[in-house]
Amino acid sequence: MPNSSSISEFLLLPLADTRQLQLLHFWLLLGIYLAALLGNGLISTAVACDQRLHTPMYFFLLNLALLDLGCISTTLPKAMANALWDTRAISYTGCAAQLFFFLFFISAEYYLLTIMSYDRYVAICKPLHYGTLMDSRACATMAAAAWGAGLLNSLLHTASTFSLPLCQGNVVNQFFCEIPQILKLSCSDSNLREVVLIIFSASLGFGCFVFIVVSYVQIFMAVLRMPSDQGRHKAFSTCLPHLAVVSLFVSTGIFANLKPPSLSSPFMDLLVSLLYSVVPPTLNPIIYSMRNREIKHSLRKVLQYALFQLP
């Protein structure tokens, strides 16, 4: 049996069995990837260029768009290259790097979504203190904390996972490298440290989830007490996109990690991994721009400027 010192590459799960389907998946993933790049790129450009969007809510939205770009760029390009060139291989170093960056971006995004719920809570429940609690320094500190916590979480998990002896082959039953699939390749009874880290991360994630739920309970109670319909509509218009993004992120993540064993199969695992790694980064810009007039107006200005610059 091979061990970790003799493994130079891993074999990822192919997206399809036939060459025609592989090419079809390549074009489909390319379309999704370009849509995600375009959507998140436009959001980032609009927030960065429009002075009216230099507020805490849009500052965090800019960070979310950057994390989404990083998250989807970690998995899809390699999957597209493998589908195009009819290969399954990824180097040992490439697998470790892919796991590290994916975990970094997705962890930081979850922490950032938690911070964004706090931002909405302060804006609606404590509006008189919003300028003090959410000044530029506080926002920068919280965003840096989300990125830093994601980095630390990723470093610990990646180091722990790839320090394990691997003696169950080199076939990863997933289209990208992720912790559960690498653990399946480890020698029995040797992954206790990583299991402890996973339990700690899950506990921290559950704490963030409880914080988000409590924040939104108080937000909805405050909104329902507002006397004017216009005030309630404005409050809901700023909260519902974030709530939709959180729901999409959490529901796909929970289903991916807690689905019943009876539903586990290579095809189902592939489908679920696409659901939680590809769908949120692609849909987030659409969700945020669909009901937000300020984002729509800024995006319109960005597109008009880009068109006028064409020769």
Side-chain angles (χ1 to χ4, degrees):
M1 284 187 179
N3 55 44
S4 54
S5 62
S6 65
I7 293 177
S8 61
E9 66 177 17
F10 293 95
L11 298 179
L12 299 175
L13 186 69
L15 294 174
D17 296 328
T18 65
R19 186 62 183 147
Q20 290 78 7
L21 282 177
Q22 283 182 338
L23 293 176
L24 177 62
H25 282 120
F26 166 77
W27 289 111
L28 178 62
L29 292 180
L30 179 62
I32 294 173
Y33 184 55
L34 291 178
L37 290 182
L38 179 63
N40 287 290
L42 285 174
I43 292 284
S44 302
T45 304
V47 174
C49 295
D50 194 336
Q51 289 287 338
R52 295 181 307 167
L53 299 185
H54 291 181
T55 64
M57 183 177 77
Y58 294 110
F59 170 73
F60 292 130
L61 180 57
L62 170 62
N63 280 266
L64 181 67
L66 295 176
L67 289 170
D68 280 335
L69 283 172
C71 187
I72 200 166
S73 297
T74 303
T75 56
L76 279 197
K78 181 60 179 175
M80 290 188 296
N82 282 1
L84 182 62
W85 302 115
D86 191 20
T87 181
R88 298 171 55 190
I90 183 172
S91 67
Y92 186 93
T93 304
C95 184
Q98 189 178 61
L99 188 148
F100 168 79
F101 282 110
F102 179 73
L103 193 57
F104 165 48
F105 288 123
I106 205 166
S107 300
E109 180 166 338
Y110 186 51
Y111 301 141
L112 184 70
L113 289 172
T114 305
I115 293 170
M116 291 172 77
S117 70
Y118 173 72
D119 170 67
R120 292 298 84 209
Y121 163 76
V122 175
I124 293 172
C125 299
K126 299 180 181 295
L128 297 179
H129 303 284
Y130 188 74
T132 304
L133 294 174
M134 303 299 295
D135 62 8
S136 58
R137 183 175 180 179
C139 291
T141 301
M142 286 188 280
W147 287 78
L151 178 64
L152 179 61
N153 183 55
S154 181
L155 275 173
L156 291 174
H157 280 287
T158 305
S160 176
T161 301
F162 281 91
S163 67
L164 297 173
L166 306 179
C167 54
Q168 303 295 329
N170 67 336
V171 178
V172 177
N173 288 320
Q174 190 54 274
F175 80 97
F176 66 96
C177 293
E178 62 175 3
I179 290 176
Q181 299 301 328
I182 301 297
L183 291 183
K184 289 179 181 179
L185 305 180
S186 66
C187 303
S188 59
D189 302 325
S190 62
N191 54 7
L192 179 61
R193 180 175 52 191
E194 178 57 25
V195 171
V196 171
L197 273 175
I198 290 175
I199 293 174
F200 174 76
S201 296
S203 302
L204 183 60
F206 181 72
C208 291
F209 177 73
V210 171
F211 182 88
I212 293 171
V213 171
V214 172
S215 297
Y216 269 99
V217 168
Q218 297 188 60
I219 287 171
F220 285 133
M221 290 174 61
V223 170
L224 293 175
R225 289 196 298 265
M226 290 180 177
S228 67
D229 291 337
Q230 184 179 3
R232 285 195 294 269
H233 180 269
K234 183 177 180 180
F236 276 128
S237 68
T238 61
C239 290
L240 290 181
H242 175 257
L243 189 59
V245 168
V246 170
S247 301
L248 179 65
F249 186 92
V250 172
S251 60
T252 54
I254 288 176
F255 185 73
N257 292 286
L258 299 180
K259 65 182 183 297
S262 58
L263 294 179
S264 184
S265 67
F267 174 75
M268 182 57 69
D269 290 344
L270 178 64
L271 188 63
V272 170
S273 64
L274 283 170
L275 192 65
Y276 84 86
S277 65
V278 173
V279 172
T282 307
L283 291 185
N284 284 353
I286 299 174
I287 293 171
Y288 266 103
S289 60
M290 199 161 40
R291 293 176 56 88
N292 192 306
R293 292 180 181 177
E294 292 176 323
I295 287 288
K296 285 182 180 178
H297 179 71
S298 295
L299 288 177
R300 196 176 298 116
K301 286 174 60 179
V302 169
L303 292 174
Q304 288 175 349
Y305 179 79
L307 290 174
F308 284 139
Q309 294 301 308
L310 293 176

